[in-house]
Coordinates of all heavy atoms in Angstrom, one line a residue:
E1 N 0.8 -1.2 0.0 CA 0.0 0.0 0.0 C 0.9 1.3 0.0 O 0.4 2.3 -0.5 CB -0.9 0.0 1.2 CG -1.9 -1.1 1.3 CD -3.1 -0.9 0.2 OE1 -3.1 0.3 -0.3 OE2 -3.9 -1.8 0.1
S2 N 2.0 1.2 0.6 CA 2.8 2.4 0.7 C 3.3 3.0 -0.6 O 3.4 2.3 -1.6 CB 4.1 2.1 1.6 OG 4.8 1.0 1.1
E3 N 3.5 4.3 -0.7 CA 3.9 5.0 -1.8 C 5.4 5.4 -1.8 O 5.7 6.5 -1.2 CB 3.0 6.2 -2.2 CG 1.7 5.9 -2.8 CD 1.8 5.5 -4.2 OE1 2.8 5.8 -4.9 OE2 1.0 4.7 -4.7
N4 N 6.3 4.6 -2.2 CA 7.7 4.9 -2.3 C 8.3 4.1 -3.5 O 7.7 3.3 -4.0 CB 8.4 4.7 -1.0 CG 8.3 3.2 -0.5 OD1 8.7 2.3 -1.2 ND2 7.7 3.1 0.7
T5 N 9.6 4.4 -3.7 CA 10.2 3.8 -4.9 C 10.3 2.3 -4.9 O 10.0 1.6 -5.8 CB 11.7 4.4 -5.0 OG1 11.7 5.8 -5.2 CG2 12.4 3.7 -6.2
I6 N 10.6 1.8 -3.7 CA 10.7 0.3 -3.5 C 9.3 -0.3 -3.7 O 9.1 -1.3 -4.4 CB 11.3 -0.1 -2.2 CG1 12.7 0.3 -2.1 CG2 11.1 -1.6 -1.9 CD1 13.4 0.0 -0.8
S7 N 8.2 0.3 -3.0 CA 6.9 -0.3 -3.1 C 6.4 -0.2 -4.5 O 5.8 -1.2 -5.0 CB 5.9 0.4 -2.2 OG 6.3 0.2 -0.8
N8 N 6.6 1.0 -5.2 CA 6.2 1.1 -6.6 C 6.8 0.1 -7.5 O 6.2 -0.4 -8.4 CB 6.4 2.6 -7.1 CG 5.4 3.5 -6.4 OD1 4.3 3.1 -6.0 ND2 5.7 4.8 -6.4
T9 N 8.1 -0.1 -7.3 CA 8.9 -1.0 -8.1 C 8.3 -2.4 -8.0 O 8.0 -3.1 -8.9 CB 10.4 -1.0 -7.7 OG1 10.9 0.3 -8.1 CG2 11.1 -2.1 -8.5
N10 N 8.0 -2.8 -6.7 CA 7.5 -4.1 -6.4 C 6.1 -4.3 -7.0 O 5.7 -5.3 -7.7 CB 7.4 -4.4 -4.9 CG 8.8 -4.7 -4.4 OD1 9.7 -5.2 -5.1 ND2 9.0 -4.5 -3.1
N11 N 5.3 -3.2 -6.9 CA 3.9 -3.3 -7.4 C 3.9 -3.4 -8.9 O 3.0 -4.1 -9.5 CB 3.1 -2.1 -6.9 CG 2.8 -2.2 -5.4 OD1 2.8 -3.3 -4.8 ND2 2.4 -1.1 -4.8
K12 N 4.8 -2.7 -9.6 CA 4.8 -2.8 -11.0 C 5.2 -4.2 -11.5 O 4.6 -4.8 -12.4 CB 5.9 -1.8 -11.6 CG 5.8 -1.7 -13.2 CD 6.5 -0.4 -13.6 CE 6.3 -0.3 -15.1 NZ 6.7 1.1 -15.6
Q13 N 6.2 -4.8 -10.8 CA 6.6 -6.2 -11.1 C 5.4 -7.1 -10.8 O 5.1 -8.1 -11.5 CB 7.8 -6.6 -10.2 CG 9.0 -5.8 -10.4 CD 9.8 -6.3 -11.6 OE1 9.3 -7.2 -12.3 NE2 11.0 -5.8 -11.9
L14 N 4.7 -6.9 -9.7 CA 3.6 -7.7 -9.3 C 2.4 -7.6 -10.4 O 1.9 -8.7 -10.8 CB 3.0 -7.1 -8.0 CG 1.5 -7.5 -7.6 CD1 1.4 -8.9 -7.4 CD2 1.1 -6.7 -6.4
Y15 N 2.1 -6.4 -10.8 CA 1.0 -6.3 -11.8 C 1.4 -7.0 -13.2 O 0.6 -7.7 -13.8 CB 0.6 -4.9 -12.1 CG -0.2 -4.2 -11.0 CD1 0.2 -3.0 -10.4 CD2 -1.3 -4.9 -10.5 CE1 -0.5 -2.4 -9.4 CE2 -2.1 -4.3 -9.4 CZ -1.6 -3.1 -8.9 OH -2.4 -2.5 -7.8
Y16 N 2.7 -6.8 -13.5 CA 3.1 -7.4 -14.7 C 3.1 -9.0 -14.6 O 2.7 -9.7 -15.5 CB 4.6 -6.9 -15.0 CG 5.3 -7.6 -16.1 CD1 4.7 -7.8 -17.4 CD2 6.6 -8.1 -16.0 CE1 5.4 -8.4 -18.4 CE2 7.3 -8.7 -17.0 CZ 6.7 -8.9 -18.2 OH 7.3 -9.4 -19.2
G17 N 3.7 -9.5 -13.5 CA 3.7 -10.9 -13.3 C 2.3 -11.5 -13.3 O 1.9 -12.6 -13.9
D18 N 1.3 -10.8 -12.6 CA -0.1 -11.2 -12.5 C -0.7 -11.2 -13.8 O -1.5 -12.1 -14.2 CB -0.8 -10.4 -11.5 CG -2.2 -11.0 -11.0 OD1 -2.1 -12.2 -10.5 OD2 -3.2 -10.4 -11.2
A19 N -0.4 -10.2 -14.6 CA -0.9 -10.1 -16.0 C -0.5 -11.3 -16.9 O -1.3 -11.9 -17.6 CB -0.5 -8.8 -16.7
I20 N 0.8 -11.7 -16.7 CA 1.3 -12.9 -17.4 C 0.4 -14.2 -17.0 O 0.0 -14.9 -17.8 CB 2.8 -13.2 -17.1 CG1 3.6 -12.1 -17.7 CG2 3.2 -14.5 -17.7 CD1 5.0 -12.1 -17.3
S21 N 0.2 -14.2 -15.7 CA -0.6 -15.4 -15.2 C -2.0 -15.4 -15.7 O -2.5 -16.4 -16.2 CB -0.6 -15.4 -13.6 OG 0.6 -15.3 -13.1
K22 N -2.6 -14.2 -15.7 CA -4.0 -14.1 -16.2 C -4.0 -14.4 -17.7 O -5.0 -15.1 -18.2 CB -4.5 -12.7 -15.9 CG -4.6 -12.4 -14.4 CD -5.6 -13.4 -13.7 CE -5.6 -13.2 -12.2 NZ -5.9 -11.8 -11.8
Y23 N -3.0 -14.0 -18.5 CA -3.0 -14.3 -19.9 C -2.8 -15.8 -20.1 O -3.5 -16.4 -20.9 CB -1.8 -13.5 -20.5 CG -1.7 -13.7 -22.0 CD1 -2.4 -12.8 -22.9 CD2 -0.9 -14.7 -22.6 CE1 -2.3 -13.1 -24.2 CE2 -0.9 -14.9 -24.0 CZ -1.6 -14.0 -24.8 OH -1.5 -14.2 -26.1
G24 N -2.0 -16.4 -19.3 CA -1.8 -17.8 -19.4 C -3.0 -18.6 -19.0 O -3.3 -19.7 -19.5
L25 N -3.9 -18.0 -18.2 CA -5.2 -18.7 -17.8 C -6.3 -18.3 -18.7 O -7.5 -18.6 -18.4 CB -5.5 -18.3 -16.3 CG -4.5 -18.9 -15.2 CD1 -4.8 -18.2 -13.9 CD2 -4.7 -20.4 -15.2
A26 N -6.0 -17.5 -19.8 CA -7.0 -17.0 -20.7 C -8.0 -16.1 -20.1 O -9.1 -15.9 -20.6 CB -7.8 -18.2 -21.4
K27 N -7.6 -15.4 -19.0 CA -8.4 -14.3 -18.4 C -7.9 -13.0 -19.0 O -7.2 -12.2 -18.2 CB -8.3 -14.4 -16.9 CG -8.8 -15.7 -16.3 CD -8.7 -15.8 -14.8 CE -9.3 -17.1 -14.2 NZ -9.2 -17.1 -12.7
Y28 N -8.2 -12.8 -20.2 CA -7.6 -11.7 -20.9 C -8.0 -10.3 -20.5 O -7.2 -9.4 -20.4 CB -7.9 -11.9 -22.4 CG -7.4 -13.2 -23.0 CD1 -8.3 -14.1 -23.5 CD2 -6.0 -13.5 -22.9 CE1 -7.8 -15.3 -24.0 CE2 -5.5 -14.7 -23.4 CZ -6.5 -15.6 -23.9 OH -6.0 -16.8 -24.4
D29 N -9.3 -10.2 -20.0 CA -9.7 -8.8 -19.6 C -9.0 -8.5 -18.3 O -8.6 -7.3 -18.1 CB -11.3 -8.9 -19.3 CG -12.1 -8.9 -20.6 OD1 -11.6 -8.4 -21.6 OD2 -13.1 -9.4 -20.6
E30 N -8.8 -9.5 -17.4 CA -8.0 -9.2 -16.2 C -6.5 -8.9 -16.5 O -5.9 -8.1 -15.8 CB -8.1 -10.4 -15.2 CG -9.5 -10.6 -14.7 CD -9.6 -11.8 -13.8 OE1 -8.6 -12.0 -12.9 OE2 -10.6 -12.6 -13.9
A31 N -6.0 -9.6 -17.6 CA -4.7 -9.2 -17.9 C -4.5 -7.8 -18.4 O -3.5 -7.1 -18.1 CB -4.2 -10.3 -19.0
I32 N -5.5 -7.4 -19.2 CA -5.5 -6.0 -19.7 C -5.5 -5.0 -18.6 O -4.7 -4.0 -18.5 CB -6.7 -5.8 -20.6 CG1 -6.6 -6.6 -21.9 CG2 -7.0 -4.3 -20.9 CD1 -7.8 -6.6 -22.8
E33 N -6.4 -5.3 -17.5 CA -6.4 -4.4 -16.4 C -5.1 -4.4 -15.6 O -4.6 -3.3 -15.2 CB -7.5 -4.8 -15.4 CG -9.0 -4.5 -16.0 CD -9.1 -3.1 -16.4 OE1 -8.9 -2.2 -15.5 OE2 -9.5 -2.8 -17.5

């Protein structure tokens, strides 16, 4: 939840990784978000 360089870096990696997972699961709308 915190707003700093480390948290933002982690969250960007997180959203990217989760998007890959959702794409792999054919949950394309969630991957887009």
Side-chain angles (χ1 to χ4, degrees):
E1 295 287 353
S2 55
E3 280 289 334
N4 57 58
T5 299
I6 293 176
S7 293
N8 286 340
T9 296
N10 284 335
N11 287 342
K12 187 162 188 170
Q13 297 279 5
L14 157 66
Y15 286 130
Y16 173 50
D18 196 58
I20 294 171
S21 306
K22 297 298 175 54
Y23 184 89
L25 293 167
K27 297 179 179 180
Y28 302 117
D29 289 332
E30 293 181 41
I32 289 168
E33 289 305 308

